[in-house]
Amino acid sequence: TTTTTTTTTATETTIMEGFGTWLMLIYTIASWIAVLVVTEEYFFDVVVFVVALFGGSWALDNTVKRSEFDLGVVTFGSVVVTQGMDLFLFKGSRKVCMKYAVGVSSLLVAISFFLPFLVWSAIHLALDGVRSDTWFQVFAFYIASMAAFWSYVTYYKICRRETRYVTLGEEE
């Protein structure tokens, strides 16, 4: 029986931390720019779908690589499914049920981004010496900005007055 051990050097950790830090910043900024620039409802929905798909893929990657469950797999997955149904199944027909389904799914993502702040001390203690101060600052910016992003999406989907939504089974 052969045992293979994988060790990560300090240099590899620094490189991966650097990549992850930049990825958090780029993902956050690109998400906000994309959602604020679009003017048509359909493209807003596409942006939400793509941002959720990327976030869900990243959460799944974290789950597989770290062997620790990332809640983003479920929360982002719910947005991918509901927004995907609205875009591809209902063809963006503005069904009221889909408006609320995507809105509630987005709210779940927003809440999951707020959760680390509730246990910030524990996170900091667990990762102290493993992560740099820069990483902690970027991570705090990332989770606060993305919590705000998904709160905005929730507001946009649920609270905005929209006259084009119709009930399921009703024709436009």
Side-chain angles (χ1 to χ4, degrees):
T1 308
T2 306
T3 306
T4 306
T5 335
T6 305
T7 57
T8 305
T9 65
T11 305
E12 289 172 325
T13 301
T14 304
I15 290 169
M16 288 313 295
E17 180 180 299
F19 176 74
T21 303
W22 281 107
L23 187 58
M24 284 188 281
L25 286 171
I26 292 166
Y27 175 57
T28 302
I29 293 166
S31 298
W32 271 108
I33 289 171
V35 86
L36 293 174
V37 166
V38 296
T39 56
E40 292 182 35
E41 189 82 24
Y42 174 79
F43 292 115
F44 181 89
D45 292 347
V46 170
V47 167
V48 169
F49 180 78
V50 170
V51 170
L53 187 61
F54 182 84
S57 299
W58 192 357
L60 184 60
D61 183 59
N62 286 342
T63 297
V64 170
K65 283 183 179 174
R66 297 183 183 150
S67 299
E68 294 176 1
F69 181 70
D70 186 326
L71 185 59
V73 171
V74 174
T75 58
F76 281 121
S78 69
V79 174
V80 168
V81 168
T82 56
Q83 188 65 75
M85 285 176 58
D86 191 32
L87 283 169
F88 306 116
L89 183 62
F90 293 116
K91 307 286 187 219
S93 62
R94 315 270 57 89
K95 302 291 185 198
V96 172
C97 63
M98 294 314 302
K99 168 185 168 175
Y100 288 107
V102 176
V104 169
S105 295
S106 300
L107 180 61
L108 293 175
V109 177
I111 291 168
S112 74
F113 271 107
F114 279 114
L115 291 177
F117 286 117
L118 298 177
V119 291
W120 188 254
S121 296
I123 291 172
H124 207 283
L125 185 63
L127 296 177
D128 193 31
V130 177
R131 300 290 187 179
S132 67
D133 288 340
T134 302
W135 183 89
F136 279 110
Q137 292 168 350
V138 170
F139 183 64
F141 168 79
Y142 164 69
I143 60 177
S145 297
M146 291 309 285
F149 173 87
W150 287 103
S151 296
Y152 173 75
V153 171
T154 301
Y155 167 79
Y156 190 90
K157 296 305 279 184
I158 293 178
C159 302
R160 239 175 36 111
R161 289 187 181 252
E162 183 61 63
T163 57
R164 292 182 293 144
Y165 281 96
V166 295
T167 58
L168 196 57
E170 180 181 320
E171 294 298 319
E172 290 189 74

